[in-house]
Amino acid sequence: MAAELHPRSGKLIGLSNSNRTAQRNQPVQEFNHGLVLSREPLRDRDVFTVRIDKKVNSWSGSVEIGVTALDPACLDFPSSATGLKGGSWIVSGCSVLRDGRSVLEEYGRDLDQLAEGDRVGIQRSARGELHLWVNGHDCGAAASGLPTRLWAVVDLYGKCTQVTVVSCEPPSSMERDTERETVDGHEELFDVFNNAIVGAGTGNTGSTNNSPAVGAGLGAVTSGMMTNDALLFHEKCGTLIKLSNNNKTAERRRPLDEFNNGVVMTNRPLRHNEMFEIRIDKLVDKWSGSIEIGVTTHNPNNLDYPATMTNLRSGTIMMSGCGILTNGKGTRREYCEFSLDELQEGDHIGLMHKASGALHFYINGIDQGVAAAQTPPMVYGVVDLYGMAVKVTIVHNHNHSDRLRRNNAIMRALSPDVGRPRPALSLTSDPDATDRLLFHSNCGQKAAIISEGRTALRPHATDDFNHGVVLSGRPLRSNEVFQVRIDKMVDKWAGSIEIGVTTHNPAYLQLPSTMTNLRSGTWMMTGNGVMHNGTTILDEYGHNLDRLKAGDTVGVVRKEDGSLHFFVNGVAQGPAAWNIPPSVYAVVDLYGQAAQATIMDDMADLPPLPEDSSEGPTVMSPGSPCSVAGGNSANDLRFHQLHGTNAVITNGGRTALRQNCRSEFNDAIVISNRCLRDGELFEIVIQKMVDRWSGSIEAGVTSIRPEELEFPNTMTDIDYDTWMLSGTAIMQDGNTMRNNYGCDLDSLTTGSRIGMMRSATGDLHYYINGVDQGVACTGLPPDKEVYAVIDLYGQCVQVSITSSSGPLDNSLCTSNITEKSFPIHSPVAGVAHRLHSKHGKNVVLLGEGCQAVRVGGYAHGIVFSAKELKTDELFEVKIDEVDNQWSGSLHMGLTSLAPPELPSCPMSGLSPSLTQLRAKVTWLLAGSEVRRNGVLQRQNYGASLDRLMVGNRVGVKRCSDDTMHILIDGEDMGTAATAVAKNVYAVLDLYGRVTAVSIVSSSVLEDAESIKAPSLSSDSCSDGEEESTPVRHTGGCSGTGEGGIVMAFLENHGKNIQLSNQNLTAARVSSYNQGLLVTAQPLPRQQLFQVIDRLNPSWTSSLSLGVIGHSPDRLNFPSTACCLKRSAWLLQRDSVFHNSLKICENYGPNLDTCPEGTVLGLLVDGNSCLHLHVNGMDQGVAAQDIPNPCYPLIDLYGQCEQVLTDNVPTVGGESGEARCQGDMEKADMVDGIKESVCWTPPPEVNPNKTCEYQALCSRFKDLLTLPDGYFNEDAKYNLCYCESCHKLRGDEAYYKRGEPPRDYALPFGWCRFALRIKPHCEVSSAFKKWHIAYHGTSVGALRRTLDHAQLLSGTSSIFSVSPAKMEGPNGYSEPEENSNSLPDRDRERDRDRERDREVPRVQLSPTMRYSGLEMFAPKVQFRDPRSHCCHQAQVGFQVCVRPGSYKVGPQNLGTSEPLDPRFSNTEIEWITKEQGGTLLYGLLIRVE
């Protein structure tokens, strides 16, 4: 074909030189409208090549090149090539765009960096692939599946002002030979280049090494490699540096003893545009800080090397962490989002000194931008192996996109067949060898591959929880589903399988301990969120992977359009990410509970993936609160797939975020997928903000269709048909119409909701958190369509469309709600719910407890569910009758008040309304207000209950994340309350208009899961008392024996912190956050750092604490500790976080529930393990591998407003009982039971913190004059179960124990004193495999029972005990029978002989609500020797019972009322006759 340009072109183009040269007119005034196309369509394999003749520096961006299927003869030329649609592929910079949308990042050479004289060409190969050629070098396949009829496109954009067509012909012979060597479209192998590298020493020489046909760029590299001019490390280096590998590798000696003196420099100055790149080969975890890299003007021959390069005060520019230091002083604090301190082994770091004098850094091949605009012309590369960095190697292959192809070629050259003639590579291969997806043999160090590559496992899954990463053996094809089945799980750990994709080749990847640690080219689904390069991009995506069981399947697929989808049990979870590169490998992380997985080859059962439609629920993640049927419903509002450059659309079109939020503040406009109807509300919620910029979100409407909108930097730049709210200003077409509107968008925070609506009269209204702010402007044309538009500007980073979006009548009231308005919720299979027999005095229950009717008045209509709600169990009622003479309506919620504990009906003592209920914690929805114990927590939550009508349904449930959700006619209104207790009942109030309801939901049937062995992530975890076995641990942590330093707080702290008392006291003086503080001194090993807190109940949540592994002197404190993402370990609530990622759940107590005065401590033991101490008690290992030094960190958040340091110099030695738990993992368990969570401190630790109720019970125990030898001498095994103590520990009401597991209830209201177990007892077996039960007894039988070390018949039978009448000499009264029937020694001896011949019959129960009844445990009266007050007391035993040694039977009290909601009255009594079948575990005492 002719090498000419088409005569039709962009409006600023002038053609000359027989239409071979194109020039953009007015190049200084205009940067676009420079589009030209080839005169004729391209022939296959022809390379349409142009030479860049002229460039200007006025603009950013440069030449763009590609192909289009549009005929230039009838083309309406857009302003730039990226505006071409209808089958156009454009290479812009280093990105590939299809029809204006990015499909591949970091491809080939960066066209913006090309200079005058450089040549760039475009080619369609015979296989329909798009190839870019730069200076004769093929950059590889950029796209595939191209149509046959295509025209070449060149855009003289930005800096590029003139080009000339130089050729349009197939590549030269040498390039054809290289192309012929291609195995696949994305796997070009440059054998000539690589043989020149690796065959230099083998005698494999030839003319190919110096052939110019390889191309200018490649030839230059080859020439450099064949001479002594290659970049190496200089022989003169730091005192601890050892060079090897021909001076390409540098290693710091004694890395565990020394952290500096590791400076190395290049052997010659860097050339312009020459890449200096190194690979991190080895790191150690001992130090903070890591590698530093940069340039210096100092000649290494003359330099006196400093200990670290940041000490050099002249001619030096270094990248350290994520900042830039010039001559040792910080010039840019946040140069890029990557931090060198967070890089892993195998990561690459590079730098380039540009011809313009600019200095750029590269991380894993990705340009981080200009670090310094002007640098001297002659500089040397310098690397500082500091801190964690131990060993690096210079990498001479700098093209990141070609790294995989070149490595493959090198490996082939190094194979045993080097030097032999190699057969021609076939384009067709054995499908059995290459097509089948298998696991790659290179896997995590704790993983193994079996079954010919189909199965991956962690052989020692009970010993290690990570290092189980496995990857697929080849990249995934487009639309190819990779699915694995979980074969085996263990209950020992938290967390479970993670799955995703990565661009890293498994053959050359230094596999991390977990894939979420990888900071480049990786997308993972973990839990129910999605992470990209270790950062969460989607919080609530799909089904929670941590809840999967053996036999479940998970899968991942990259669709042809670059979107990433996940599957759970064959169900598509919706799009998780966009713009995924085409060559990605599947990756599975066998983490935590996941021990083994197998690839599933049969995909036939998988449903087809939903098409990428912007309407309808098909693009939504399952479980989305607004996933309704019908594309025309109110909830089909999404964000359009067209958006600003920096915007990303996720979550099925419901979430929009601005990428690179700390380096970009604009170009993130998003628009609704369809026009708004009159009176329809479009509402979004702000989910993420940064405090780096000024200004924030802007919102409004436009009548410009998304397809016609050329997205500007910000929407206020649009000068037609657009109405926006910016701050408090109302703007039309870019001009301010009105200031001081009723709301200020710049003042909104995370969680705020913004809505906009055009009325039928053409008025524009804004809504903030559901409240109408009034008319913003009038005169919007009613005959024009308007689209909602959001500008993610400045501080605002991420928003999501709320469930309130839709017709305004449906979002602000429910008067029009019908069963057709929302999806119908089908009750789960099971038994219909019932209402409890305890209820308000005006309520009558009908239909066996399924209906409730208020028969009088407007109040006293409280009713409860008959049983506690299980996690995610929905309790739902339908409105049967209303009485419009009253105002107000139904109230609904959850309560920790147990109805069985209430007095009998009629409930005259119950509160008249639910908002006044204060007995226990109650969360409820009244109208549209959420209240906790009557205190307003939230306004404008969802639809108002005051508008409910007959037939509407209302439900409530407690979700697994401890949140309460309200459902109206099956639609989940979202989270109403957080931190909801586990053991709660549904409660509703037939108040005001609503007079009758009926239950329409069912309870969940018990299944095999109910007898599953307890695991850390389930509700069956053992409480803090069961693992406190009386078996003494032999190991202990020895204390230092030396005085510790006084730990004061650092002057650098959060902006709301005020220090006093010589910096030993810190207080938050305003707001609820910005309360971060750290200590001025690092925390020595084995020294306990403690604080005492002061609370303000006005807020929710509370203190967090932990340690950071770097110096806090220059720390930029975020608003909360959870935002720290660099070398930070944080204890928050009952979880442990590392760099903002949760690594452990259910650790220790819930810090949000700790009362004022609680002493919290941090200690790092000799094994670098972090421990939490609560009131002096060690809660076990929270995290491992804590660096030294580390600094304690405190976040005075929410309720916690002040802390006072309470330093304890030493721990351990003879005075402490703290034991070393360095051998415990983060979620370590012993046979499914968590490690000890003991709260009551030993007297020597903190005598003033003992519970008063426990002290009273202890004084009563002393009055019994029982020998001390019967009791465990370690006081930490004594536990109090009074209301304050068990809530402080966060105890659940029920747990499981034994083999098989069986439920038992904690003895709430009692106090346990641990008994000493005799040596002959099988203690380990009993505590692991036996069940837990209770036995009520009398005071008179205690001594004989303890003497025999087992429960006895006769003396232990208390059915004939009479009430207490007389007071004994010790201050307590015994029943007459026991006091008057004591036998003499002979009768006692005879009875003992008779007892030895008889088989005892003992009554037990799994709950003290039965065994603690006065019939079994009669009360005795005693006088407290301290207060001289009279009390009544009961006693009983907590025992271990051998499974199979007892029979389960009904209660014999003749009552029909349920005694315990967990246990049926027909199974509440256990009878055992087996001698030795019980083991006394603890003495229980209850005092009234």
Side-chain angles (χ1 to χ4, degrees):
M1 62 172 284
E4 296 180 13
L5 299 172
H6 198 280
R8 295 192 73 241
S9 57
K11 65 182 183 181
L12 292 181
I13 286 294
L15 299 178
S16 61
N17 189 20
S18 300
N19 286 357
R20 296 173 65 91
T21 299
Q23 181 177 1
R24 191 180 80 234
N25 298 321
Q26 304 174 18
V28 179
Q29 290 80 24
E30 300 289 342
F31 61 88
N32 54 6
H33 292 290
L35 205 58
V36 292
L37 281 78
S38 62
R39 184 181 185 89
E40 300 174 4
L42 292 178
R43 294 194 301 255
D44 286 349
R45 302 189 63 254
D46 279 0
V47 181
F48 186 86
T49 306
V50 299
R51 180 186 64 239
I52 301 175
D53 296 333
K54 292 183 180 179
K55 297 185 73 174
V56 296
N57 293 321
S58 304
W59 312 103
S60 60
S62 188
V63 66
E64 299 176 346
I65 192 168
V67 294
T68 181
L70 302 174
D71 189 342
C74 55
L75 176 63
D76 184 10
F77 282 78
S79 60
S80 66
T82 55
L84 289 171
K85 312 294 182 184
S88 301
W89 290 261
I90 304 296
V91 181
S92 174
C94 54
S95 300
V96 180
L97 295 90
R98 177 181 179 182
D99 292 343
R101 180 174 178 179
S102 177
V103 295
L104 180 61
E105 300 288 346
E106 302 301 330
Y107 165 75
R109 290 280 299 275
D110 188 351
L111 300 187
D112 295 346
Q113 306 302 322
L114 297 183
E116 295 179 357
D118 284 336
R119 300 186 179 196
V120 58
I122 202 72
Q123 176 198 39
R124 183 194 184 277
S125 70
R127 291 189 297 276
E129 296 171 339
L130 181 69
H131 287 247
L132 175 72
W133 293 74
V134 178
N135 291 325
H137 175 204
D138 185 0
C139 295
S144 59
L146 271 66
T148 56
R149 185 176 173 85
L150 294 168
W151 282 265
V153 178
V154 180
D155 190 356
L156 280 66
Y157 183 81
K159 295 180 179 179
C160 181
T161 64
Q162 180 176 314
V163 299
T164 296
V165 181
V166 295
S167 66
C168 186
E169 58 188 24
S172 64
S173 59
M174 177 57 65
E175 292 161 351
R176 284 199 299 270
D177 293 339
T178 303
E179 185 181 12
R180 197 176 296 116
E181 293 267 336
T182 303
V183 180
D184 205 342
H186 61 272
E187 218 171 313
E188 297 181 0
L189 304 173
F190 296 92
D191 290 334
V192 175
F193 170 80
N194 291 287
N195 286 333
I197 298 176
V198 300
T202 64
N204 184 16
T205 61
S207 61
T208 57
N209 291 341
N210 299 311
S211 173
V214 179
L218 186 57
V221 176
T222 305
S223 176
M225 292 299 299
M226 297 303 294
T227 68
N228 292 326
D229 206 22
L231 266 181
L232 302 171
F233 289 125
H234 199 281
E235 293 184 350
K236 185 179 179 183
C237 49
T239 58
L240 292 180
I241 288 294
K242 176 181 70 174
L243 299 178
S244 60
N245 190 21
N246 294 326
N247 288 3
K248 288 192 296 183
T249 299
E251 184 174 3
R252 192 178 81 237
R253 299 184 180 96
R254 306 202 308 271
L256 298 178
D257 301 324
E258 301 287 343
F259 59 87
N260 53 11
N261 288 306
V263 177
V264 286
M265 293 174 60
T266 57
N267 61 333
R268 61 168 174 82
L270 302 179
R271 301 189 181 100
H272 289 163
N273 300 323
E274 178 182 21
M275 175 72 81
F276 171 55
E277 187 175 30
I278 60 171
R279 180 186 66 239
I280 301 176
D281 295 332
K282 185 178 180 181
L283 298 169
V284 294
D285 291 333
K286 183 171 183 181
W287 311 104
S288 61
S290 188
I291 193 168
E292 298 174 349
I293 187 172
V295 295
T296 182
T297 58
H298 295 276
N299 190 316
N301 291 304
N302 307 324
L303 178 64
D304 185 10
Y305 279 79
T308 174
M309 280 302 292
T310 53
N311 291 343
L312 216 54
R313 292 294 183 259
S314 64
T316 303
I317 302 174
M318 299 293 292
M319 181 177 178
S320 175
C322 58
I324 302 297
L325 285 81
T326 303
N327 300 331
K329 296 182 179 180
T331 54
R332 294 184 66 178
R333 296 190 62 181
E334 295 186 6
Y335 161 60
C336 66
E337 291 194 32
F338 291 96
S339 173
L340 300 187
D341 296 345
E342 298 176 355
L343 296 184
Q344 306 292 317
E345 295 174 357
D347 284 335
H348 290 233
I349 317 169
L351 61 86
M352 183 180 292
H353 181 219
K354 302 278 187 176
S356 63
L359 179 64
H360 289 240
F361 289 94
Y362 297 77
I363 296 180
N364 289 322
I366 300 175
D367 189 353
Q368 303 300 305
V370 177
Q374 293 295 327
T375 55
M378 179 178 292
V379 291
Y380 293 80
V382 59
V383 177
D384 191 348
L385 296 179
Y386 180 81
M388 297 187 291
V390 174
K391 183 179 180 182
V392 297
T393 296
I394 294 178
V395 180
H396 288 119
N397 174 17
H398 310 307
N399 192 334
H400 182 64
S401 63
D402 290 340
R403 183 174 295 149
L404 174 58
R405 295 189 288 272
R406 295 174 186 240
N407 284 341
N408 286 338
I410 291 173
M411 292 301 293
R412 282 214 313 273
L414 291 175
S415 69
D417 295 330
V418 170
R420 302 178 186 177
R422 281 189 273 173
L425 295 176
S426 173
L427 293 177
T428 61
S429 57
D430 181 8
D432 294 335
T434 60
D435 287 355
R436 191 177 186 185
L437 270 174
L438 300 173
F439 288 121
H440 197 278
S441 57
N442 183 28
C443 56
Q445 58 182 267
K446 303 295 183 181
I449 307 298
I450 60 175
S451 300
E452 300 179 346
R454 292 189 64 236
T455 300
L457 73 155
R458 290 202 333 270
H460 306 289
T462 57
D463 299 329
D464 298 282
F465 61 88
N466 54 9
H467 289 290
V469 175
V470 289
L471 283 82
S472 61
R474 64 165 173 82
L476 298 180
R477 302 185 180 95
S478 294
N479 297 325
E480 180 180 22
V481 179
F482 176 81
Q483 183 174 239
V484 297
R485 181 190 64 226
I486 303 175
D487 299 331
K488 183 180 178 182
M489 301 189 73
V490 295
D491 286 336
K492 187 174 183 180
W493 314 107
S496 188
I497 193 170
E498 299 173 353
I499 189 170
V501 295
T502 182
T503 59
H504 295 277
N505 189 320
Y508 315 109
L509 176 63
Q510 184 77 25
L511 292 170
S513 60
T514 175
M515 279 302 289
T516 52
N517 290 342
L518 215 55
R519 294 296 186 260
S520 63
T522 304
W523 294 260
M524 297 293 295
M525 181 178 178
T526 168
N528 64 344
V530 179
M531 303 184 74
H532 174 43
N533 298 338
T535 301
T536 299
I537 60 174
L538 208 53
D539 286 324
E540 296 183 3
Y541 165 64
H543 190 92
N544 194 331
L545 300 188
D546 294 343
R547 298 180 186 172
L548 298 183
K549 303 180 178 65
D552 288 336
T553 61
V554 291
V556 63
V557 62
R558 179 200 174 273
K559 294 188 66 179
E560 189 174 5
D561 63 358
S563 62
L564 187 69
H565 297 247
F566 291 97
F567 290 89
V568 177
N569 289 322
V571 178
Q573 306 295 295
W578 300 89
N579 301 329
I580 307 299
S583 244
V584 291
Y585 294 80
V587 57
V588 174
D589 193 346
L590 296 176
Y591 181 82
Q593 298 180 6
Q596 180 175 314
T598 296
I599 296 176
M600 303 295 291
D601 290 332
D602 185 8
M603 298 291 110
D605 293 335
L606 284 178
L609 281 174
E611 293 299 325
D612 285 333
S613 169
S614 61
E615 293 188 2
T618 56
V619 295
M620 290 184 58
S621 301
S624 177
C626 293
S627 56
V628 297
N632 295 324
S633 69
N635 295 309
D636 64 341
L637 278 171
R638 302 286 186 273
F639 290 119
H640 200 279
Q641 60 182 354
L642 299 178
H643 48 72
T645 306
N646 292 326
V648 175
I649 306 299
T650 64
N651 191 20
R654 297 188 65 86
T655 298
L657 58 94
R658 188 178 78 241
Q659 56 186 349
N660 303 324
C661 58
R662 293 194 171 273
S663 57
E664 301 287 346
F665 61 88
N666 57 4
D667 280 322
I669 297 169
V670 290
I671 191 169
S672 62
N673 63 323
R674 63 165 175 82
C675 60
L676 301 182
R677 305 181 183 99
D678 288 342
E680 182 177 25
L681 179 71
F682 182 87
E683 186 182 58
I684 55 98
V685 59
I686 300 176
Q687 295 179 313
K688 184 179 179 181
M689 302 185 74
V690 295
D691 54 5
R692 180 176 174 83
W693 313 103
S694 62
S696 189
I697 190 172
E698 298 176 349
V701 295
T702 181
S703 60
I704 308 173
R705 294 177 57 84
E707 296 80 4
E708 301 170 354
L709 178 62
E710 293 187 10
F711 289 87
N713 293 334
T714 176
M715 276 304 290
T716 53
D717 293 341
I718 295 289
D719 58 2
Y720 68 102
D721 293 341
T722 302
W723 297 261
M724 298 293 295
L725 173 60
S726 175
T728 62
I730 303 296
M731 306 183 71
Q732 179 180 354
D733 302 338
N735 299 315
T736 301
M737 300 170 53
R738 170 185 176 188
N739 280 313
N740 300 318
Y741 179 59
C743 63
D744 183 2
L745 297 190
D746 293 343
S747 65
L748 299 183
T749 59
T750 301
S752 299
R753 305 195 319 273
I754 311 165
M756 61 213 75
M757 180 206 69
R758 182 185 69 171
S759 69
T761 59
D763 297 336
L764 178 63
H765 290 247
Y766 286 92
Y767 292 80
I768 303 298
N769 295 323
V771 179
D772 188 356
Q773 304 299 304
V775 176
C777 57
T778 60
L780 272 69
D783 56 336
K784 280 191 176 183
E785 297 178 340
V786 294
Y787 295 80
V789 60
I790 301 293
D791 192 346
L792 301 176
Y793 182 81
Q795 296 182 356
C796 183
V797 173
Q798 179 173 319
V799 299
S800 282
I801 300 174
T802 70
S803 59
S804 296
S805 294
L808 191 60
D809 291 341
N810 284 348
S811 65
L812 299 183
C813 74
T814 60
S815 59
N816 296 326
I817 293 179
T818 65
E819 294 196 352
K820 295 182 180 180
S821 302
F822 303 102
I824 302 301
H825 174 80
S826 299
V828 294
V831 181
H833 279 131
R834 296 288 189 272
L835 297 171
H836 200 278
S837 57
K838 308 285 184 69
H839 48 71
K841 66 179 183 179
N842 286 341
V843 170
V844 173
L845 300 184
L846 304 174
E848 298 180 345
C850 291
Q851 294 177 285
V853 179
R854 193 181 77 236
V855 294
Y858 64 91
H860 291 288
I862 296 178
V863 291
F864 304 86
S865 60
K867 295 183 178 181
E868 291 179 355
L869 293 188
K870 298 180 175 65
T871 300
D872 292 323
E873 181 180 10
L874 175 65
F875 183 90
E876 190 177 39
V877 298
K878 183 178 69 174
I879 309 298
D880 291 335
E881 297 178 12
V882 295
D883 186 353
N884 290 322
Q885 69 170 315
W886 306 110
S887 61
S889 184
L890 180 81
H891 303 159
M892 193 165 200
L894 300 171
T895 182
S896 57
L897 175 64
E901 298 177 358
L902 296 172
S904 301
C905 291
M907 298 294 296
S908 57
L910 199 58
S911 302
S913 69
L914 196 54
T915 56
Q916 300 173 3
L917 193 61
R918 301 287 193 275
K920 293 289 182 69
V921 181
T922 301
W923 301 262
L924 71 134
L925 177 64
S928 60
E929 296 179 342
V930 179
R931 296 179 176 270
R932 182 181 185 271
N933 279 2
V935 179
L936 180 63
Q937 303 291 313
R938 181 177 178 184
Q939 290 180 312
N940 301 311
Y941 166 78
S944 174
L945 300 186
D946 292 341
R947 306 293 179 88
L948 295 178
M949 304 297 291
V950 173
N952 290 146
R953 293 177 291 112
V954 187
V956 64
K957 66 178 179 179
R958 177 195 170 277
C959 297
S960 57
D961 57 355
D962 298 340
T963 60
M964 181 180 76
H965 287 237
I966 300 293
L967 289 85
I968 298 179
D969 286 316
E971 184 190 30
D972 191 340
M973 309 307 292
T975 299
T978 59
V980 178
K982 289 183 171 59
N983 304 304
V984 290
Y985 291 76
V987 60
L988 58 151
D989 188 0
L990 303 184
Y991 185 82
R993 296 171 58 250
V994 176
T995 59
V997 297
S998 58
I999 294 177
V1000 294
S1001 58
S1002 303
S1003 61
V1004 180
L1005 289 175
E1006 295 289 343
D1007 53 17
E1009 185 180 3
S1010 63
I1011 58 173
K1012 181 182 175 183
S1015 65
L1016 188 64
S1017 61
S1018 69
D1019 289 339
S1020 60
C1021 292
S1022 176
D1023 58 290
E1025 53 98 21
E1026 290 311 325
E1027 51 308 303
S1028 305
T1029 61
V1031 182
R1032 183 173 297 279
H1033 296 271
T1034 58
C1037 290
S1038 59
T1040 61
E1042 301 172 0
I1045 62 175
V1046 176
M1047 305 285 288
F1049 293 119
L1050 186 67
E1051 291 287 351
N1052 183 26
H1053 47 66
K1055 67 179 184 180
N1056 289 335
I1057 288 296
Q1058 179 177 327
L1059 301 180
S1060 60
N1061 188 24
Q1062 298 180 341
N1063 291 356
L1064 297 178
T1065 299
R1068 192 183 74 244
V1069 293
S1070 65
S1071 189
Y1072 63 92
N1073 57 5
Q1074 299 284 356
L1076 281 178
L1077 62 152
V1078 294
T1079 60
Q1081 303 84 14
L1083 180 63
R1085 292 304 197 249
Q1086 296 288 51
Q1087 175 166 332
L1088 182 64
F1089 171 77
Q1090 293 191 140
V1091 294
I1092 304 174
D1093 58 350
R1094 190 189 74 187
L1095 304 181
N1096 179 356
S1098 301
W1099 305 104
T1100 59
S1101 297
S1102 188
L1103 167 143
S1104 302
L1105 71 166
V1107 294
I1108 57 174
H1110 53 87
S1111 174
D1113 293 328
R1114 296 191 300 174
L1115 180 62
N1116 184 20
F1117 287 94
S1119 59
T1120 63
C1122 60
C1123 296
L1124 292 171
K1125 297 184 179 180
R1126 175 190 170 196
S1127 191
W1129 290 261
L1130 183 67
L1131 306 174
Q1132 189 175 67
R1133 299 189 67 182
D1134 60 349
S1135 301
V1136 184
F1137 295 81
H1138 176 43
N1139 295 342
S1140 80
L1141 300 178
K1142 185 183 292 186
I1143 61 174
C1144 179
E1145 290 181 321
N1146 299 320
Y1147 169 78
N1150 188 335
L1151 298 183
D1152 287 355
T1153 64
C1154 292
E1156 183 168 324
T1158 302
V1159 180
L1160 301 174
L1162 295 170
L1163 179 139
V1164 180
D1165 61 24
N1167 295 321
S1168 299
C1169 297
L1170 178 66
H1171 294 248
L1172 171 67
H1173 288 245
V1174 181
N1175 290 333
M1177 299 307 298
D1178 187 356
Q1179 305 301 307
V1181 174
Q1184 297 179 317
D1185 301 326
I1186 305 300
N1188 190 13
C1190 65
Y1191 296 80
L1193 164 78
I1194 308 291
D1195 187 1
L1196 301 187
Y1197 185 84
Q1199 293 185 358
C1200 184
E1201 289 190 333
Q1202 178 176 308
V1203 292
L1204 169 68
T1205 59
D1206 183 18
N1207 296 295
V1208 178
T1210 59
V1211 172
E1214 297 178 356
S1215 63
E1217 286 294 331
R1219 52 190 181 89
C1220 184
Q1221 300 187 20
D1223 57 342
M1224 306 282 295
E1225 271 296 353
K1226 64 175 184 178
D1228 212 346
M1229 304 176 70
V1230 180
D1231 292 290
I1233 307 304
K1234 289 193 306 183
E1235 279 303 304
S1236 178
V1237 186
C1238 298
W1239 278 78
T1240 306
E1244 63 270 25
V1245 176
N1246 202 340
N1248 296 324
K1249 292 298 177 182
T1250 302
C1251 170
E1252 282 300 319
Y1253 179 77
Q1254 187 180 27
L1256 177 61
C1257 293
S1258 179
R1259 292 194 292 273
F1260 172 74
K1261 171 181 159 289
D1262 294 339
L1263 293 176
L1264 299 177
T1265 64
L1266 299 173
D1268 291 338
Y1270 287 134
F1271 296 92
N1272 193 299
E1273 60 186 5
D1274 195 340
K1276 70 180 181 181
Y1277 295 120
N1278 300 335
L1279 285 184
C1280 177
Y1281 291 97
C1282 70
E1283 184 174 0
S1284 60
C1285 286
H1286 81 72
K1287 285 186 176 180
L1288 184 62
R1289 286 192 301 268
D1291 291 341
E1292 298 183 16
Y1294 302 96
Y1295 294 92
K1296 294 179 183 291
R1297 172 62 67 85
E1299 294 182 1
R1302 195 166 191 127
D1303 286 347
Y1304 70 98
L1306 290 193
F1308 287 165
W1310 296 73
C1311 186
R1312 188 192 73 189
F1313 298 90
L1315 296 173
R1316 175 175 292 179
I1317 308 302
K1318 292 193 174 181
H1320 71 273
C1321 296
E1322 298 177 358
V1323 174
S1324 60
S1325 176
F1327 279 91
K1328 294 179 181 179
K1329 301 179 180 179
W1330 290 20
H1331 296 152
I1332 296 294
Y1334 303 95
H1335 175 77
T1337 188
S1338 65
V1339 170
L1342 281 180
R1343 177 60 184 270
R1344 279 167 288 172
T1345 302
L1346 294 172
D1347 286 342
H1348 291 82
Q1350 61 179 331
L1351 300 178
L1352 306 174
S1353 62
T1355 57
S1356 64
S1357 177
I1358 42 72
F1359 292 105
S1360 60
V1361 174
S1362 61
K1365 290 186 178 180
M1366 62 178 295
E1367 183 175 318
N1370 290 323
Y1372 68 87
S1373 303
E1374 291 187 357
E1376 284 188 333
E1377 180 185 51
N1378 290 326
S1379 60
N1380 295 331
S1381 60
L1382 296 177
D1384 56 24
R1385 294 181 180 178
D1386 295 334
R1387 292 175 61 192
E1388 180 67 18
R1389 187 163 49 252
D1390 293 338
R1391 180 172 294 182
D1392 289 344
R1393 292 195 190 104
E1394 182 180 358
R1395 186 182 300 114
D1396 291 338
R1397 293 192 300 267
E1398 294 178 353
V1399 178
R1401 181 178 184 273
V1402 178
Q1403 289 82 14
L1404 303 168
S1405 177
T1407 172
M1408 279 303 286
R1409 293 189 181 185
Y1410 181 72
S1411 292
L1413 294 175
E1414 191 170 0
M1415 175 181 177
F1416 305 122
K1419 298 178 181 178
V1420 295
Q1421 187 174 348
F1422 76 101
R1423 180 179 291 109
D1424 181 15
R1426 173 179 292 182
S1427 64
H1428 302 290
C1429 296
C1430 290
H1431 302 275
Q1432 287 187 323
Q1434 293 174 280
V1435 294
F1437 288 102
Q1438 188 176 28
V1439 298
C1440 297
V1441 190
R1442 181 185 293 115
S1445 66
Y1446 60 90
K1447 293 183 179 180
V1448 177
Q1451 52 88 16
N1452 53 21
L1453 302 180
T1455 179
S1456 61
E1457 292 288 335
L1459 297 170
D1460 191 302
R1462 180 62 67 92
F1463 305 101
S1464 169
N1465 282 3
T1466 60
E1467 299 179 346
I1468 202 168
E1469 184 174 285
W1470 299 355
I1471 303 296
T1472 179
K1473 295 184 179 181
E1474 183 174 327
Q1475 191 168 7
T1478 60
L1479 175 67
L1480 297 183
Y1481 182 34
L1483 171 64
L1484 297 175
I1485 296 177
R1486 179 167 66 182
V1487 176
E1488 296 178 356

